[in-house]
Amino acid sequence: EVQLVESGGDLVQPGGSLRVSCAVSGFTISSYAMSWVRQAPGKGLEWVSLISGSVGSTHYADSVRGRFTISRDYSKNTLLLQMTSLTAADTAVYYCAMTASHYMSFDYWGLGTLVTVSS
Amino acid sequence: DIVLTQSPGTLSLSPGERATLSCRASQSVSTTYLAWYQQKPGQAPRLLISGASSRATGIPDRFSGSGSGTDFTLTISRLEPEDFAVYYCQQYGSSLWTFGQGTKVEIK
């Protein structure tokens, strides 16, 4: 059974950094593309970043490029998102999601972790 | 970047009625890369439709997707009480993924 469990969300000051994680079970993390999708309070969904399966190429939304870094910890079968230079606009629930097919949709989702950027 | 515009913003219907949700793209989208999601309050989104018209595993057949080019539609043939939620369309193109702003289907 595929399970995605996010953690690491916290209250952080503007300009600060934070790393959130997504523990994966039911498959090997390098087998599929994995993404981070966020949702600001009361707002819609925004794709943030994706790391492809076997090759591990990375892609970012313009809003986070240069500030966020997506990566994988193979030993822990975990997806990571390192966030720096955080602003209030980054406040959101961060979901990890897995892309299982060539349709490039988000087939499996975690429950999310809340990141709040505030002084 | 491709912008997806969903309409209406809110759809007020009664159980048993038919729901028709629209997703319009600012440029042509491959049908392979158009998906629909359902999200209920406090829950993660759930994939309903991928490839514009292929239902995801376990999705009831009252949900159907159609369309091509710049105009796509999600239809719920007969609304069940559990279908009242927010629905998002999503596209992939040029290594970017974008979502529409969502349509809320509420009980009339």
Side-chain angles (χ1 to χ4, degrees):
Chain A
E1 179 190 6
V2 171
Q3 282 196 324
L4 310 175
V5 180
E6 301 91 338
S7 62
D10 204 349
L11 172 63
V12 60
Q13 291 194 338
S17 300
L18 188 68
R19 189 180 77 172
V20 292
S21 304
C22 173
V24 170
S25 59
F27 65 97
T28 302
I29 196 168
S30 58
S31 299
Y32 296 99
M34 297 289 298
S35 289
W36 289 99
V37 177
R38 68 184 180 183
Q39 187 169 35
K43 303 297 184 182
L45 301 169
E46 180 188 16
W47 170 76
V48 171
S49 181
L50 176 141
I51 185 165
S52 67
S54 55
V55 177
S57 57
T58 57
H59 307 277
Y60 298 93
D62 290 344
S63 58
V64 306
R65 187 175 292 113
R67 300 188 300 121
F68 289 13
T69 303
I70 191 171
S71 62
R72 298 179 291 203
D73 182 334
Y74 296 104
S75 66
K76 296 181 180 179
N77 211 36
T78 296
L79 178 71
L80 304 169
L81 183 69
Q82 178 69 47
M83 302 181 286
T84 64
S85 302
L86 287 163
T87 72
D90 297 313
T91 294
V93 173
Y94 284 73
Y95 297 101
C96 67
M98 185 262 267
T99 295
S101 75
H102 66 287
Y103 290 126
M104 303 306 279
S105 54
F106 305 114
D107 301 79
Y108 296 92
W109 296 69
L111 296 179
T113 189
L114 177 61
V115 174
T116 303
V117 183
S118 175
S119 55
Chain B
D1 299 358
I2 296 178
V3 175
L4 299 179
T5 301
Q6 293 186 239
S7 62
T10 301
L11 199 52
S12 298
L13 295 168
S14 301
E17 289 193 295
R18 182 185 187 91
T20 304
L21 287 66
S22 173
C23 177
R24 179 161 290 177
S26 59
Q27 305 172 43
S28 184
V29 172
S30 168
T31 55
T32 300
Y33 300 138
L34 194 288
W36 290 92
Y37 301 83
Q38 176 193 67
Q39 187 179 34
K40 297 179 182 179
Q43 296 185 17
R46 176 175 70 147
L47 177 67
L48 297 176
I49 301 284
S50 55
S53 60
S54 298
R55 276 187 300 277
T57 303
I59 302 302
D61 61 7
R62 63 180 181 273
F63 291 92
S64 63
S66 63
S68 64
T70 61
D71 290 302
F72 297 88
T73 300
L74 175 70
T75 301
I76 311 171
S77 58
R78 293 173 309 279
L79 282 164
E80 297 287 341
E82 62 267 29
D83 298 337
F84 292 92
V86 179
Y87 293 84
Y88 296 93
C89 58
Q90 169 256 314
Q91 71 84 35
Y92 162 74
S94 303
S95 298
L96 293 173
W97 288 255
T98 55
F99 290 90
Q101 82 280 17
T103 290
K104 182 179 182 180
V105 178
E106 66 176 21
I107 300 176
K108 185 174 182 180

